[in-house]
Amino acid sequence: MQRHGETSLAEAVLSPHPVAVARWLAARGWPVHPLAPGRKTPAANCPQCQTSSHAPAQCPCHRKGMWCHGFYSATTDLARIEAWWTREPRAGVGVSCGPAQLVVLDVDAHSEHVPDRSRLLPGITIPGQVSLEGLASGFDTLALLAAYRRQDNPAEDNTTLRVRTPSGGLHIWYRNPKPVLRYRSSTGSSRKTALAWQVDVRAHGGYIVAPATRTAAGEYTPIGPAREPAPLPQWLAAELQRTGHVKPPRQATRPHRPYMTPSRQMGGALAPLQPLLATVRECAAQPEGTSFTEKLNRAAYTAGGLVGAGYLSEAGARQVLEEAAHYARPHQMRRNDSIIDAALFAGANHPFHPKGLA
């Protein structure tokens, strides 16, 4: 319920200033960060962060009130938000989903080759007698998942905030009613963790574009009557649990290794990765012809080996890989995530023990 004197989302959306949307979101405790003007990717890092490779969560720029590393810099501090959008009034608004306790289904409608039916709904066997004629997008796979579970289709859920994307997709916003559970982000094309083909999950480790943000392709427009996220439906929570989106902390494969705090762990264990991450980031200088895929794959495979050996957490590895990949190729974040998912998984099955790491 809107309190007296409080700006509503409808009023924020009608405002010509993105900062109004940022204020509305922050007032709900949802950390926000700037997106590059006219784009759906985070605003560029400072020159120092563009030329150095370090863990985004430990970036000193955050203490200085800068927006480096996208959703890792997200804040609810109104003074900082005013300063950011005063500096770049045209910046769009991104929301860091994890700290906001949001779980957003990102339903895509891209024109892509439909994979084998075994990959449409991970973990669910679709019998051959079930006709898939006409299936072409995430709208279809999400509807199919709901039908299998005899539940209402989330894409038609009028009780929660839904946002139409410029490409014809849909963002379905839900609130995590059990903050003790940490849902992880995923891409619908992942072979390891996915809810449904062409249905991405934005939660911890991800961000979502805010309503009313405008890009070169169009505007993110709220649809339906709801302007607040409803609690995540119980059946969807169960599906996320089933598909590996809720996992206990990974245990080191060498039990005798003492527990390392994230700062210690990210320090020493990143040393073998730094040269590989640097080659990925260097690809930003040229849009093509840099063997970007091979370089990212090599870095992610090595990181997976460090994860498998217990030197690095999966979350820590993914964090530095995504930062480097999205910096170099911000226009293909889905593809970057797919490369990282596959190579991390493969590398984890081949533990890597570099010399010098005890």
Side-chain angles (χ1 to χ4, degrees):
M1 179 179 296
Q2 184 181 349
R3 294 182 291 272
H4 178 70
E6 184 183 70
T7 300
S8 69
L9 176 59
E11 292 170 329
V13 166
L14 291 174
S15 169
H17 307 296
V19 68
V21 175
R23 290 194 204 101
W24 184 86
L25 296 164
R28 275 145 187 76
W30 301 341
V32 297
H33 60 95
L35 303 178
R39 301 176 67 178
K40 61 179 182 179
T41 52
N45 294 340
C46 71
Q48 291 78 11
C49 287
Q50 292 178 16
T51 56
S52 64
S53 182
H54 54 270
Q58 300 171 15
C59 180
C61 296
H62 299 163
R63 294 191 297 272
K64 302 175 184 176
M66 300 171 71
W67 61 44
C68 296
H69 306 288
F71 66 84
Y72 293 103
S73 67
T75 185
T76 58
D77 184 279
L78 291 179
R80 183 172 298 185
I81 289 170
E82 293 290 345
W84 280 349
W85 270 272
T86 297
R87 174 181 169 187
E88 182 44 88
R90 302 172 302 146
V93 184
V95 182
S96 181
C97 295
Q101 296 300 334
L102 293 173
V103 178
V104 182
L105 303 186
D106 182 355
V107 185
D108 290 326
H110 300 310
S111 177
E112 295 182 1
H113 172 72
V114 179
D116 182 80
R117 65 177 58 214
S118 64
R119 291 189 55 201
L120 295 176
L121 298 177
I124 296 177
T125 300
I126 304 176
Q129 61 266 32
V130 176
S131 174
L132 299 178
E133 183 177 358
L135 186 146
S137 73
F139 285 95
D140 303 314
T141 54
L142 186 59
L144 185 61
L145 176 62
Y148 261 91
R149 300 308 187 211
R150 299 183 179 181
Q151 300 290 336
D152 294 333
N153 184 356
E156 300 173 356
D157 187 353
N158 284 323
T159 69
T160 197
L161 173 63
R162 293 174 298 149
V163 180
R164 183 72 65 185
T165 73
S167 63
L170 186 69
H171 293 169
I172 308 169
W173 293 50
Y174 287 113
R175 174 174 51 82
N176 177 10
K178 297 181 179 179
V180 68
L181 296 179
R182 290 170 60 90
Y183 294 97
R184 61 171 292 186
S185 296
S186 71
T187 59
S189 59
S190 173
R191 291 180 179 270
K192 184 180 178 184
T193 302
L195 180 66
W197 178 67
Q198 281 213 11
V199 178
D200 300 341
V201 177
R202 304 299 181 195
H204 281 276
Y207 72 94
I208 197 70
V209 179
T213 294
R214 295 175 177 82
T215 68
E219 182 174 333
Y220 288 75
T221 307
I223 63 172
R227 290 296 179 266
E228 296 274 359
L232 180 69
Q234 188 172 5
W235 77 271
L236 271 176
E239 287 302 300
L240 291 170
Q241 178 84 45
R242 179 185 65 81
T243 51
H245 288 82
V246 183
K247 296 173 62 178
R250 185 183 179 92
Q251 297 295 317
T253 57
R254 298 197 293 174
H256 65 276
R257 176 177 300 281
Y259 174 76
M260 294 180 291
T261 63
S263 59
R264 288 179 59 199
Q265 187 185 55
M266 293 294 283
L270 278 180
L273 271 182
Q274 293 291 10
L276 298 176
L277 292 170
T279 64
V280 173
R281 294 174 63 86
E282 288 166 0
C283 293
Q286 298 182 38
E288 56 186 18
T290 60
S291 300
F292 170 78
T293 298
E294 290 78 4
K295 292 174 180 177
L296 179 57
N297 185 75
R298 190 178 304 116
Y301 184 87
T302 301
L306 293 169
V307 170
Y311 295 106
L312 191 62
S313 70
E314 181 178 342
R318 189 178 299 277
Q319 174 180 311
V320 295
L321 289 165
E322 289 180 351
E323 192 279 333
H326 298 343
Y327 170 72
R329 294 290 186 269
H331 59 283
Q332 58 177 49
M333 296 178 70
R334 281 172 51 83
R335 183 165 178 267
N336 296 346
D337 291 343
S338 180
I339 295 169
I340 290 171
D341 281 343
L344 261 181
F345 179 70
N349 291 323
H350 297 84
F352 174 41
H353 299 277
K355 292 181 179 179
L357 285 184

